[in-house]
């Protein structure tokens, strides 16, 4: 299977599935594992990928956090935790997606492909949502309520781009 297809399937599993409250969240772990497999295959297909090491660390950290937060008690604790803790638990996964968008957008722009523009749009949406969440929770800027949906749109755009441009040669990245 093509490298970005693994990433698209993994992200779709993470975003579109939820575990029952009394069961271990296997879908989150499986989704992060699929993303990690996609990353490894992408690095093999594109050895000079920008941010290669950063992407690897973020993908591995997202998997470790998914495993740590998969038991029902850990998820219940996270539901009762401060919003900053919830935000921090999503940083590795969202950071991986933003860094992946940046790396693939840079490669596509260097190759002259039009898909580079879309990667940067997805990256910007994810980063805006991350920053807005900090300002909403820490600085009490309540007018930023709902900007997190921009980040979700960025994540959905990453899934679509990975599914459409599944092979690096096809996307000229």
């Amino acid at each position: 299977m093509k490298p970005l297809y693994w990433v698209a399937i993994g992200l779709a599993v993470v975003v579109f599935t939820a575990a029952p409250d009394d069961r271990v969240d296997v879908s989150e772990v499986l989704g992060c594992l699929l993303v990690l497999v996609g990353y490894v295959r992408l690095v093999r297909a594109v050895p000079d990928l920008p941010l290669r090491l950063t992407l690897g660390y973020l993908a591995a950290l997202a998997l470790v956090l998914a495993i740590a937060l998969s038991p029902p008690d850990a998820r219940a604790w996270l539901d009762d935790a401060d919003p900053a803790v919830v935000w921090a638990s999503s940083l590795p996964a969202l950071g991986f997606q933003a860094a992946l968008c940046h790396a693939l957008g840079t490669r596509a722009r260097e190759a002259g492909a039009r898909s580079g523009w879309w990667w940067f749009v997805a990256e910007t949406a994810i980063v805006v949502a991350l920053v807005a969440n900090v300002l909403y929770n820490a600085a009490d800027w309540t007018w930023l309520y709902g900007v997190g949906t921009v980040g979700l749109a960025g994540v959905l755009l990453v899934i679509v781009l990975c599914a459409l441009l599944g092979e690096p040669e096809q996307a000229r990245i």
Side-chain angles (χ1 to χ4, degrees):
M1 192 172 0
K2 299 172 181 165
L4 294 180
Y5 286 172
W6 288 92
V7 175
I9 292 169
L11 291 176
V13 166
V14 168
V15 171
F16 297 120
T17 59
D21 290 336
D22 60 340
R23 305 278 171 134
V24 173
D25 191 0
V26 178
S27 61
E28 182 99 13
V29 175
L30 177 66
C32 288
L33 189 59
L34 290 171
V35 169
L36 186 61
V37 168
Y39 161 74
V40 169
R41 290 176 149 238
L42 181 64
V43 167
R44 287 184 185 159
V46 185
D48 61 337
L49 184 71
L51 301 172
R52 178 180 171 168
L53 190 60
T54 302
L55 285 166
Y57 285 141
L58 288 171
L61 186 57
L63 178 62
V64 168
L65 267 173
I67 292 169
L69 296 175
S70 65
D73 293 336
R75 287 196 325 270
W77 173 81
L78 192 63
D79 289 341
D80 295 335
D82 188 67
V85 175
V86 177
W87 173 80
S89 70
S90 66
L91 275 179
L94 292 174
F96 172 82
Q97 293 170 41
L100 180 69
C101 289
H102 185 77
L104 296 179
T106 301
R107 293 272 312 196
R109 186 181 52 194
E110 289 170 356
R114 289 187 299 190
S115 65
W117 165 256
W118 290 106
W119 289 112
F120 288 123
V121 168
E123 176 191 9
T124 302
I126 292 169
V127 170
V128 163
L130 286 172
V131 171
N133 199 350
V134 170
L135 294 174
Y136 175 76
N137 289 322
D140 288 331
W141 288 8
T142 55
W143 56 273
L144 285 174
Y145 180 76
V147 175
T149 55
V150 172
L152 181 59
V155 171
L156 295 176
L157 184 56
V158 171
I159 294 171
V160 169
L161 287 172
C162 286
L164 291 176
L165 308 172
E167 189 170 357
E169 292 80 24
Q170 181 184 10
R172 287 188 277 168
I173 54 175

